[in-house]
Amino acid sequence: MDDLLQDGAAGERAGEQGDERVARVELFAARVPLSELARGAMAESDNGLGMAIPTEEAWLEADFLFCRLVDGAGREGWGEAYVWLPESGVSNLDMASAIEHHLARYVLGSRPVAVQALAARFDRNVARNEMAKGLVDTACHDLAARQRDCPVHDLIGGATVDRIPLCGLVPLGSPEGVAGLCHGYQRAGYGTVRIKLGEGPEADRDVIAAVRERCGSGLRIRVDFNQAYTAAGAVRVLRLLEPFGIDGAEQPLPLGDLIGMAEVARRTDIPLFLHEGFFSMGDLVALIDAGGCGVVGVNGERPGGVTGALRAIDYAAARGMGTIIHNQPLGIGTATHAHVAAARFDRLGHAVELAGDVMFDEHLVTERYRVDHGELVLPGGPGWGIEVDRDALDDHLVAPPVVVAR
């Protein structure tokens, strides 16, 4: 009788494990228009983009790839990745192809909670493709949390805060215009802004001087050059900005110039960090070891989703550095960044920049995260704590959904 009971219990556990395993991968390539507010602000810059990246394509809409994982019991987990070719090097359709034809085979039949093992299989069998891997990883975290009826942050260490201070995004503009936008953020409760620069050393200095004069010394400022300078030009502009107290300077040099970043870092007191040049832990470790990185900037889908983001944050902390979490996501992407930030907030040292709130009017979720006095309020509920609006997502698809099943 005891043997029968043990056999029955083992069979029940096996059935439960089977229900937990991923049975289907679904991919949705979508395009979402930028908000009128974002378009208007960018239109005031000379290139119409609000940043120094010299792309020739108008930026009026943004591309995303969504991943939905479904387990044997019908539970689902979602991930979202923002994709822009001048930065990402791949389109949402490219990423969908990589997942459909290569990565999906390792996801199907796996337990979504086993993200470390899945990441190792990805890396052994598919080189690079960190954004595609990261998208699947974020969906795994959502599904694993929903299987356990808990928030994602409970699976990655637990939330250390329930309100996350945010950083306001400010595009290229005149000194007076930028100062006005920064003051508006400040009055709304924001304690940090990130200002796009790259129009020349003296012009950049004039912008930051105007912001300090309008907003005072209490406002924390980080700047983003979007690869605008050579090493010599970057040194010149950073030295002009040093008296204004800058938290960090994002990507002053072309994305592949790690040697130049190390040289610039030696000649300025302002911490540098990568964005366009950070797609793998190897990128980050190489730059830190070379002395070219003073603060770490992390996107949720790079390098490798939640698993990769946590590695980067923990590595930065071990090296005595803070981390800037930054992106411009829709609803699910905002949730990804929020849960990572909540679980590692004591190690960040910087406000979180989630500019999707102003970049897009539509977030493709049934209910958006709440922002109150410059802080994002972490919701309750399992998984990410929000739900995808399937009707809204379907309205923005640019290709038929891709389904890969066992």
Side-chain angles (χ1 to χ4, degrees):
M1 186 66 174
D2 289 342
D3 290 342
L4 289 174
L5 289 173
Q6 289 175 2
D7 289 345
E12 184 177 346
R13 287 193 298 271
E16 289 174 354
Q17 282 196 349
D19 287 345
E20 280 193 350
R21 298 183 184 276
V22 177
R24 193 162 70 251
V25 179
E26 300 177 0
L27 302 167
F28 307 85
R31 181 167 296 143
V32 179
L34 271 62
S35 68
E36 289 299 322
L37 177 64
R39 291 190 190 193
M42 293 189 301
E44 294 183 5
S45 65
D46 290 341
N47 65 359
L49 289 172
M51 67 184 83
I53 291 179
T55 178
E56 298 178 15
E57 299 291 334
W59 192 38
L60 304 176
E61 299 173 309
D63 288 337
F64 295 85
L65 184 64
F66 287 80
C67 177
R68 177 179 182 255
L69 302 181
V70 184
D71 70 10
R75 291 166 297 215
E76 63 182 28
W78 286 86
E80 170 207 312
Y82 160 67
V83 183
W84 190 42
L85 275 170
E87 289 185 347
S88 61
V90 295
S91 70
N92 50 2
L93 297 177
D94 294 333
M95 286 173 55
S97 178
I99 296 171
E100 177 187 7
H101 297 293
H102 304 288
L103 299 178
R105 71 186 65 176
Y106 307 111
V107 183
L108 293 173
S110 69
R111 296 174 60 236
V113 74
V115 290
Q116 298 287 350
L118 185 60
R121 294 193 75 190
F122 282 170
D123 290 343
R124 283 197 299 269
N125 294 287
V126 181
R128 301 181 179 89
N129 284 278
E130 281 78 13
M131 289 184 68
K133 297 173 184 177
L135 174 61
V136 177
D137 178 88
T138 60
C140 280
H141 277 82
D142 188 30
L143 179 54
R146 290 179 184 274
Q147 289 175 342
R148 287 149 185 77
D149 195 31
C150 70
V152 169
H153 57 66
D154 278 358
L155 297 183
I156 57 176
T160 58
V161 294
D162 57 12
R163 296 173 68 95
I164 301 168
L166 295 177
C167 168
L169 173 62
V170 182
L172 282 174
S174 67
E176 297 78 13
V178 171
L181 288 173
C182 291
H183 186 58
Y185 274 118
Q186 192 176 38
R187 290 194 303 169
Y190 288 72
T192 304
V193 293
R194 193 251 287 186
I195 301 172
K196 295 280 192 178
L197 297 177
E199 296 194 309
E202 287 74 20
D204 289 349
R205 176 202 55 202
D206 292 346
V207 167
I208 301 305
V211 172
R212 278 288 179 235
E213 182 176 357
R214 181 76 180 271
C215 300
S217 60
L219 183 68
R220 296 182 67 173
I221 296 174
R222 65 186 70 147
V223 297
D224 181 6
F225 294 109
N226 288 119
Q227 310 177 66
Y229 288 106
T230 63
V235 170
R236 175 168 174 76
V237 67
L238 290 167
R239 285 180 173 172
L240 290 174
L241 297 185
E242 284 175 356
F244 299 105
I246 305 299
D247 278 358
E250 180 180 336
Q251 200 74 55
L253 304 184
L255 62 90
D257 192 0
L258 299 185
I259 294 175
M261 287 281 286
E263 174 63 23
V264 172
R266 284 191 287 269
R267 300 172 64 185
T268 180
D269 294 331
I270 297 174
L272 308 184
F273 65 103
L274 295 174
H275 178 204
E276 294 94 325
F278 180 16
F279 277 88
S280 73
M281 281 298 297
D283 296 331
L284 179 63
V285 171
L287 188 63
I288 290 177
D289 284 350
C293 183
V295 62
V296 173
V298 171
N299 282 107
E301 62 268 22
R302 1 174 196 158
V306 173
T307 300
L310 294 174
R311 288 175 181 167
I313 294 168
D314 292 342
Y315 182 76
R319 298 295 297 265
M321 299 178 185
T323 296
I324 293 173
I325 294 177
H326 58 132
N327 208 344
Q328 41 203 22
L330 302 177
I332 294 298
T334 295
T336 302
H337 292 78
H339 281 256
V340 169
R344 291 294 191 276
F345 191 77
D346 58 322
R347 299 186 172 191
L348 300 183
H350 298 271
V352 175
E353 181 187 319
L354 298 176
D357 193 53
V358 296
M359 294 296 293
F360 306 100
D361 291 327
E362 301 173 89
H363 284 230
L364 309 191
V365 289
T366 57
E367 185 177 358
R368 289 162 63 171
Y369 275 26
R370 183 165 65 92
V371 175
D372 177 46
H373 202 64
E375 295 180 326
L376 186 148
V377 180
L378 197 67
W384 300 130
I386 56 173
E387 306 294 333
V388 171
D389 184 333
R390 287 299 304 274
D391 291 335
L393 176 58
D394 289 346
D395 287 342
H396 290 83
L397 294 182
V398 295
V402 172
V403 178
V404 186
R406 295 179 69 178

